[in-house]
Amino acid sequence: MKKHFYYLILVAIATSCSTNPYKKSEKVYDVQMNSLKETLSQKEATPLTNESAIIIDSIAYRYKNQLLNYKDTLSKTDTSILPNGIVSEWVGTVNFNLRKPNFIIIHHTAQDSLQKTLRTFTSQKTKVSAHYVISRDGKVVHMLNDYLRAWHAGNSSWGKDTDINSVSLGIELDNNGSEPFSDIQINSLLALLTKLKKDYSIPAQNIIGHSDIAPTRKVDPSVFFPWKLLSLNGFGLWPDEVLPCAPSDFNVEQGLQIIGYNTKNYSAAISAFKLHFIQTEVNDLLDEKTINTIYSIYKK
Protein backbone atom coordinates (compact mmCIF):
# COMPACT_ATOMS: atom_id res chain seq x y z
CA MET A 1 0.00 0.00 0.00
CA LYS A 2 2.86 2.36 0.92
CA LYS A 3 4.65 1.57 -2.34
CA HIS A 4 1.48 2.39 -4.26
CA PHE A 5 1.13 5.67 -2.37
CA TYR A 6 4.71 6.74 -3.08
CA TYR A 7 4.28 5.78 -6.70
CA LEU A 8 1.30 8.15 -7.02
CA ILE A 9 3.34 10.96 -5.42
CA LEU A 10 6.20 10.40 -7.87
CA VAL A 11 3.77 10.45 -10.81
CA ALA A 12 2.23 13.68 -9.55
CA ILE A 13 5.68 15.31 -9.17
CA ALA A 14 6.76 14.14 -12.61
CA THR A 15 3.56 15.45 -14.14
CA SER A 16 3.90 18.83 -12.46
CA CYS A 17 7.51 19.15 -13.65
CA SER A 18 6.76 18.16 -17.23
CA THR A 19 6.45 20.82 -19.93
CA ASN A 20 2.90 22.02 -20.54
CA PRO A 21 2.37 22.00 -24.32
CA TYR A 22 -0.64 24.27 -23.89
CA LYS A 23 1.15 26.96 -21.87
CA LYS A 24 1.03 29.49 -24.73
CA SER A 25 -2.65 28.95 -25.48
CA GLU A 26 -3.49 29.06 -21.77
CA LYS A 27 -2.04 32.59 -21.66
CA VAL A 28 -4.24 33.58 -24.60
CA TYR A 29 -7.23 32.03 -22.81
CA ASP A 30 -6.49 34.01 -19.64
CA VAL A 31 -6.18 37.29 -21.56
CA GLN A 32 -9.46 36.72 -23.40
CA MET A 33 -11.25 35.67 -20.22
CA ASN A 34 -10.06 38.76 -18.36
CA SER A 35 -11.31 40.89 -21.24
CA LEU A 36 -14.75 39.25 -21.06
CA LYS A 37 -14.89 39.73 -17.31
CA GLU A 38 -14.26 43.44 -17.86
CA THR A 39 -17.09 43.48 -20.40
CA LEU A 40 -19.43 41.89 -17.86
CA SER A 41 -18.38 44.45 -15.26
CA GLN A 42 -19.10 47.42 -17.50
CA LYS A 43 -21.67 49.76 -15.96
CA GLU A 44 -20.96 52.95 -17.89
CA ALA A 45 -23.93 54.86 -19.27
CA THR A 46 -24.32 54.47 -23.03
CA PRO A 47 -25.73 57.37 -25.08
CA LEU A 48 -28.59 56.43 -27.42
CA THR A 49 -29.32 57.91 -30.84
CA ASN A 50 -32.34 59.72 -29.41
CA GLU A 51 -31.07 62.69 -27.39
CA SER A 52 -34.13 62.66 -25.12
CA ALA A 53 -33.21 59.22 -23.81
CA ILE A 54 -31.09 59.16 -20.66
CA ILE A 55 -29.33 56.08 -19.33
CA ILE A 56 -29.25 56.04 -15.55
CA ASP A 57 -26.86 53.67 -13.79
CA SER A 58 -29.09 52.71 -10.89
CA ILE A 59 -27.75 49.27 -9.95
CA ALA A 60 -28.36 47.98 -6.43
CA TYR A 61 -25.26 47.23 -4.36
CA ARG A 62 -26.15 43.52 -4.51
CA TYR A 63 -25.45 43.57 -8.24
CA LYS A 64 -21.72 43.95 -7.61
CA ASN A 65 -21.58 40.99 -5.24
CA GLN A 66 -23.62 38.78 -7.56
CA LEU A 67 -21.53 39.81 -10.55
CA LEU A 68 -18.27 39.04 -8.77
CA ASN A 69 -19.62 35.57 -8.07
CA TYR A 70 -20.29 34.99 -11.75
CA LYS A 71 -16.90 36.42 -12.72
CA ASP A 72 -15.23 33.92 -10.39
CA THR A 73 -17.32 31.11 -11.86
CA LEU A 74 -16.15 32.06 -15.36
CA SER A 75 -12.52 31.66 -14.35
CA LYS A 76 -12.85 28.25 -12.69
CA THR A 77 -10.78 25.68 -14.54
CA ASP A 78 -10.67 22.90 -11.97
CA THR A 79 -10.54 19.26 -13.02
CA SER A 80 -13.50 17.13 -12.01
CA ILE A 81 -14.08 13.44 -11.42
CA LEU A 82 -16.81 11.97 -13.62
CA PRO A 83 -19.26 9.28 -12.40
CA ASN A 84 -17.23 6.55 -14.11
CA GLY A 85 -14.07 7.57 -12.23
CA ILE A 86 -12.38 9.34 -15.14
CA VAL A 87 -10.74 12.65 -14.20
CA SER A 88 -11.42 15.37 -16.75
CA GLU A 89 -8.40 17.36 -17.91
CA TRP A 90 -8.52 21.14 -18.35
CA VAL A 91 -7.13 22.59 -21.60
CA GLY A 92 -8.50 26.05 -22.37
CA THR A 93 -9.54 26.76 -25.96
CA VAL A 94 -8.71 30.16 -27.45
CA ASN A 95 -11.84 30.30 -29.61
CA PHE A 96 -14.75 31.65 -27.59
CA ASN A 97 -16.78 34.73 -26.73
CA LEU A 98 -19.84 35.69 -24.72
CA ARG A 99 -23.18 34.35 -25.85
CA LYS A 100 -25.21 37.21 -27.32
CA PRO A 101 -28.98 37.75 -27.07
CA ASN A 102 -31.10 36.85 -30.08
CA PHE A 103 -34.53 38.08 -28.92
CA ILE A 104 -35.96 41.22 -27.36
CA ILE A 105 -39.06 40.80 -25.20
CA ILE A 106 -41.13 43.88 -24.47
CA HIS A 107 -43.20 44.15 -21.27
CA HIS A 108 -45.21 46.69 -19.37
CA THR A 109 -44.49 46.88 -15.66
CA ALA A 110 -48.13 46.76 -14.46
CA GLN A 111 -46.97 49.12 -11.68
CA ASP A 112 -47.63 52.77 -10.92
CA SER A 113 -44.17 54.32 -11.10
CA LEU A 114 -40.58 53.83 -12.17
CA GLN A 115 -39.44 53.94 -8.54
CA LYS A 116 -41.78 51.11 -7.59
CA THR A 117 -40.46 48.96 -10.44
CA LEU A 118 -36.84 49.66 -9.46
CA ARG A 119 -37.62 48.61 -5.90
CA THR A 120 -39.16 45.39 -7.25
CA PHE A 121 -36.13 44.63 -9.41
CA THR A 122 -33.61 45.36 -6.63
CA SER A 123 -35.29 43.15 -4.04
CA GLN A 124 -34.04 39.58 -3.74
CA LYS A 125 -37.48 38.44 -2.58
CA THR A 126 -39.22 39.16 -5.90
CA LYS A 127 -37.01 36.95 -8.13
CA VAL A 128 -37.83 39.12 -11.17
CA SER A 129 -35.71 41.50 -13.23
CA ALA A 130 -35.14 43.01 -16.66
CA HIS A 131 -32.23 44.44 -18.58
CA TYR A 132 -33.87 47.83 -19.17
CA VAL A 133 -36.73 49.87 -17.75
CA ILE A 134 -38.07 52.91 -19.63
CA SER A 135 -40.02 55.48 -17.64
CA ARG A 136 -43.01 57.48 -18.81
CA ASP A 137 -40.80 60.55 -19.30
CA GLY A 138 -38.37 58.68 -21.55
CA LYS A 139 -35.57 57.95 -19.09
CA VAL A 140 -33.86 54.61 -19.62
CA VAL A 141 -32.54 52.60 -16.69
CA HIS A 142 -30.04 49.89 -17.60
CA MET A 143 -30.22 47.28 -14.83
CA LEU A 144 -28.22 44.30 -16.07
CA ASN A 145 -25.35 43.73 -18.48
CA ASP A 146 -26.78 42.60 -21.82
CA TYR A 147 -24.76 39.38 -21.80
CA LEU A 148 -26.22 38.23 -18.48
CA ARG A 149 -29.49 36.35 -17.98
CA ALA A 150 -32.34 38.39 -16.48
CA TRP A 151 -35.47 36.83 -14.99
CA HIS A 152 -38.19 38.50 -17.05
CA ALA A 153 -39.78 35.85 -19.29
CA GLY A 154 -40.74 33.18 -16.77
CA ASN A 155 -42.34 29.99 -18.07
CA SER A 156 -42.52 30.77 -21.78
CA SER A 157 -41.58 29.60 -25.25
CA TRP A 158 -41.26 30.82 -28.82
CA GLY A 159 -40.93 28.24 -31.55
CA LYS A 160 -38.47 25.63 -30.31
CA ASP A 161 -36.93 27.97 -27.71
CA THR A 162 -38.22 27.01 -24.26
CA ASP A 163 -35.76 29.02 -22.14
CA ILE A 164 -36.39 32.55 -23.37
CA ASN A 165 -34.51 34.14 -20.48
CA SER A 166 -31.29 32.59 -21.77
CA VAL A 167 -31.56 34.02 -25.28
CA SER A 168 -33.25 37.37 -24.80
CA LEU A 169 -33.11 40.92 -23.51
CA GLY A 170 -36.05 42.12 -21.42
CA ILE A 171 -37.32 45.70 -21.75
CA GLU A 172 -39.94 46.90 -19.27
CA LEU A 173 -42.06 49.97 -20.03
CA ASP A 174 -43.36 51.93 -17.04
CA ASN A 175 -47.09 51.50 -17.68
CA ASN A 176 -49.92 50.01 -15.64
CA GLY A 177 -51.43 48.19 -18.63
CA SER A 178 -54.60 50.27 -18.90
CA GLU A 179 -53.23 53.46 -20.44
CA PRO A 180 -51.58 54.52 -23.71
CA PHE A 181 -47.80 54.75 -23.86
CA SER A 182 -46.37 58.28 -24.02
CA ASP A 183 -44.71 59.45 -27.23
CA ILE A 184 -41.46 60.26 -25.44
CA GLN A 185 -41.40 56.78 -23.89
CA ILE A 186 -41.85 55.13 -27.29
CA ASN A 187 -39.19 57.41 -28.79
CA SER A 188 -36.72 56.21 -26.16
CA LEU A 189 -37.74 52.61 -26.85
CA LEU A 190 -37.08 53.10 -30.58
CA ALA A 191 -33.67 54.60 -29.79
CA LEU A 192 -32.81 51.70 -27.50
CA LEU A 193 -34.02 49.11 -30.02
CA THR A 194 -31.90 50.78 -32.72
CA LYS A 195 -28.79 50.29 -30.60
CA LEU A 196 -29.59 46.74 -29.44
CA LYS A 197 -30.59 45.48 -32.87
CA LYS A 198 -27.33 46.80 -34.31
CA ASP A 199 -25.13 45.60 -31.42
CA TYR A 200 -26.41 42.02 -31.49
CA SER A 201 -27.77 41.62 -35.04
CA ILE A 202 -31.21 40.74 -33.70
CA PRO A 203 -33.68 39.82 -36.50
CA ALA A 204 -36.73 42.08 -36.78
CA GLN A 205 -39.11 39.14 -36.26
CA ASN A 206 -37.43 38.34 -32.92
CA ILE A 207 -38.70 41.53 -31.29
CA ILE A 208 -41.93 40.39 -29.61
CA GLY A 209 -44.07 40.84 -26.53
CA HIS A 210 -44.44 38.95 -23.27
CA SER A 211 -47.95 37.93 -24.30
CA ASP A 212 -46.55 36.29 -27.44
CA ILE A 213 -44.24 33.96 -25.51
CA ALA A 214 -46.65 33.29 -22.62
CA PRO A 215 -50.16 33.43 -24.14
CA THR A 216 -51.89 31.68 -21.23
CA ARG A 217 -50.37 33.94 -18.55
CA LYS A 218 -49.56 37.40 -19.88
CA VAL A 219 -51.16 40.28 -21.77
CA ASP A 220 -48.28 42.75 -21.78
CA PRO A 221 -47.32 45.06 -23.34
CA SER A 222 -51.12 45.52 -23.65
CA VAL A 223 -53.51 46.44 -26.41
CA PHE A 224 -52.22 50.04 -26.33
CA PHE A 225 -48.73 49.14 -27.50
CA PRO A 226 -47.90 50.54 -31.00
CA TRP A 227 -46.62 47.40 -32.72
CA LYS A 228 -47.36 48.87 -36.16
CA LEU A 229 -45.15 51.89 -35.45
CA LEU A 230 -42.33 49.63 -34.29
CA SER A 231 -42.63 47.53 -37.45
CA LEU A 232 -42.45 50.64 -39.65
CA ASN A 233 -39.14 51.40 -37.93
CA GLY A 234 -37.78 47.89 -38.51
CA PHE A 235 -38.66 46.27 -35.18
CA GLY A 236 -41.09 43.37 -35.34
CA LEU A 237 -43.51 42.29 -38.04
CA TRP A 238 -46.87 43.69 -39.14
CA PRO A 239 -49.47 42.31 -41.56
CA ASP A 240 -49.85 43.67 -45.09
CA GLU A 241 -52.19 46.62 -45.53
CA VAL A 242 -54.13 44.57 -48.07
CA LEU A 243 -54.42 41.13 -46.53
CA PRO A 244 -53.76 38.14 -48.80
CA CYS A 245 -56.45 35.49 -48.93
CA ALA A 246 -55.33 32.35 -47.17
CA PRO A 247 -55.65 29.23 -49.34
CA SER A 248 -58.44 26.84 -48.43
CA ASP A 249 -55.96 24.23 -47.22
CA PHE A 250 -54.03 26.63 -44.98
CA ASN A 251 -53.53 25.03 -41.56
CA VAL A 252 -54.09 27.90 -39.14
CA GLU A 253 -52.75 26.17 -36.04
CA GLN A 254 -49.62 25.10 -37.87
CA GLY A 255 -49.25 28.65 -39.17
CA LEU A 256 -49.31 30.02 -35.62
CA GLN A 257 -46.71 27.43 -34.59
CA ILE A 258 -44.41 28.40 -37.46
CA ILE A 259 -44.71 32.07 -36.46
CA GLY A 260 -43.64 30.99 -32.96
CA TYR A 261 -46.76 30.61 -30.83
CA ASN A 262 -47.29 27.73 -28.44
CA THR A 263 -50.70 26.33 -29.43
CA LYS A 264 -51.20 23.78 -26.65
CA ASN A 265 -53.92 26.19 -25.56
CA TYR A 266 -55.17 27.03 -29.04
CA SER A 267 -57.66 29.68 -27.91
CA ALA A 268 -55.01 31.49 -25.87
CA ALA A 269 -52.62 31.45 -28.84
CA ILE A 270 -55.27 33.00 -31.12
CA SER A 271 -56.03 35.71 -28.52
CA ALA A 272 -52.32 36.46 -28.05
CA PHE A 273 -51.85 36.76 -31.81
CA LYS A 274 -54.76 39.19 -32.06
CA LEU A 275 -53.48 41.20 -29.08
CA HIS A 276 -50.33 41.80 -31.11
CA PHE A 277 -51.61 42.03 -34.69
CA ILE A 278 -55.38 42.83 -34.54
CA GLN A 279 -55.57 45.03 -31.47
CA THR A 280 -59.16 46.14 -32.05
CA GLU A 281 -60.49 42.58 -31.80
CA VAL A 282 -58.78 40.75 -28.95
CA ASN A 283 -60.62 37.43 -28.64
CA ASP A 284 -60.24 33.82 -29.76
CA LEU A 285 -62.67 34.11 -32.68
CA LEU A 286 -61.10 32.60 -35.78
CA ASP A 287 -62.90 34.59 -38.48
CA GLU A 288 -61.77 35.25 -42.05
CA LYS A 289 -59.87 38.42 -41.14
CA THR A 290 -57.97 36.62 -38.39
CA ILE A 291 -57.08 33.68 -40.65
CA ASN A 292 -55.86 36.03 -43.40
CA THR A 293 -53.83 38.06 -40.90
CA ILE A 294 -52.19 34.91 -39.55
CA TYR A 295 -51.43 33.90 -43.13
CA SER A 296 -49.90 37.33 -43.85
CA ILE A 297 -47.50 37.06 -40.88
CA TYR A 298 -46.84 33.38 -41.64
CA LYS A 299 -45.64 34.30 -45.14
CA LYS A 300 -43.20 36.87 -43.72
Side-chain angles (χ1 to χ4, degrees):
M1 186 70 182
K2 276 187 176 181
K3 285 183 179 181
H4 182 66
F5 177 72
Y6 288 130
Y7 174 75
L8 288 176
I9 292 177
L10 288 172
V11 170
I13 293 173
T15 302
S16 64
C17 293
S18 63
T19 303
N20 179 4
Y22 304 107
K23 188 174 181 179
K24 186 176 179 180
S25 64
E26 287 289 344
K27 283 186 177 180
V28 176
Y29 176 91
D30 290 339
V31 170
Q32 289 184 219
M33 181 58 70
N34 286 331
S35 174
L36 293 184
K37 288 195 290 184
E38 287 303 314
T39 300
L40 289 178
S41 302
Q42 184 60 253
K43 295 194 295 183
E44 295 298 321
T46 304
L48 302 178
T49 54
N50 185 333
E51 293 182 359
S52 66
I54 304 170
I55 294 283
I56 302 176
D57 184 17
S58 179
I59 310 297
Y61 74 93
R62 287 181 296 275
Y63 177 91
K64 182 178 179 182
N65 294 331
Q66 182 112 339
L67 185 59
L68 286 173
N69 178 52
Y70 279 108
K71 285 174 65 179
D72 290 340
T73 301
L74 283 176
S75 300
K76 285 183 179 177
T77 58
D78 296 338
T79 58
S80 58
I81 301 176
L82 304 180
N84 64 354
I86 296 295
V87 178
S88 67
E89 178 188 5
W90 169 263
V91 177
T93 179
V94 296
N95 304 311
F96 64 94
N97 57 12
L98 293 174
R99 293 180 177 178
K100 67 182 184 67
N102 193 44
F103 288 85
I104 295 176
I105 310 300
I106 299 174
H107 310 251
H108 67 241
T109 60
Q111 295 187 316
D112 298 323
S113 69
L114 173 67
Q115 288 69 31
K116 188 173 181 181
T117 299
L118 295 184
R119 285 197 299 271
T120 299
F121 288 170
T122 54
S123 169
Q124 290 179 310
K125 295 179 180 178
T126 61
K127 305 296 183 185
V128 292
S129 58
H131 293 88
Y132 296 88
V133 183
I134 304 179
S135 71
R136 288 171 170 83
D137 63 4
K139 292 181 180 179
V140 179
V141 182
H142 191 176
M143 301 199 72
L144 184 68
N145 186 287
D146 295 346
Y147 289 103
L148 296 176
R149 184 180 186 273
W151 302 344
H152 64 95
N155 182 17
S156 57
S157 65
W158 190 247
K160 294 182 179 179
D161 287 299
T162 57
D163 183 5
I164 302 298
N165 280 334
S166 293
V167 294
S168 69
L169 294 169
I171 300 177
E172 292 272 359
L173 301 176
D174 179 24
N175 183 288
N176 61 20
S178 59
E179 60 184 351
F181 296 85
S182 69
D183 290 341
I184 192 170
Q185 186 178 42
I186 297 302
N187 285 339
S188 289
L189 173 63
L190 291 173
L192 179 58
L193 289 175
T194 299
K195 179 183 185 303
L196 296 177
K197 184 181 179 184
K198 180 181 179 181
D199 285 351
Y200 305 113
S201 301
I202 295 176
Q205 66 268 25
N206 286 4
I207 299 172
I208 50 182
H210 200 184
S211 57
D212 295 312
I213 62 173
T216 61
R217 301 187 301 111
K218 297 295 180 178
V219 295
D220 54 313
S222 90
V223 70
F224 296 102
F225 188 73
W227 284 113
K228 182 178 180 179
L229 175 63
L230 259 68
S231 178
L232 290 173
N233 284 274
F235 311 117
L237 300 179
W238 192 252
D240 299 318
E241 289 297 325
V242 178
L243 291 175
C245 292
S248 58
D249 61 349
F250 176 59
N251 187 317
V252 178
E253 183 174 4
Q254 190 175 72
L256 284 171
Q257 291 171 352
I258 290 172
I259 293 168
Y261 289 94
N262 183 334
T263 61
K264 285 184 178 179
N265 186 323
Y266 192 26
S267 294
I270 295 169
S271 295
F273 177 89
K274 296 177 84 166
L275 178 61
H276 188 137
F277 296 105
I278 314 177
Q279 296 176 306
T280 56
E281 304 170 19
V282 182
N283 52 50
D284 62 357
L285 179 63
L286 201 57
D287 56 11
E288 183 180 4
K289 179 181 178 181
T290 303
I291 294 172
N292 290 340
T293 305
I294 293 171
Y295 181 64
S296 176
I297 299 298
Y298 157 83
K299 289 209 310 177
K300 295 176 184 290

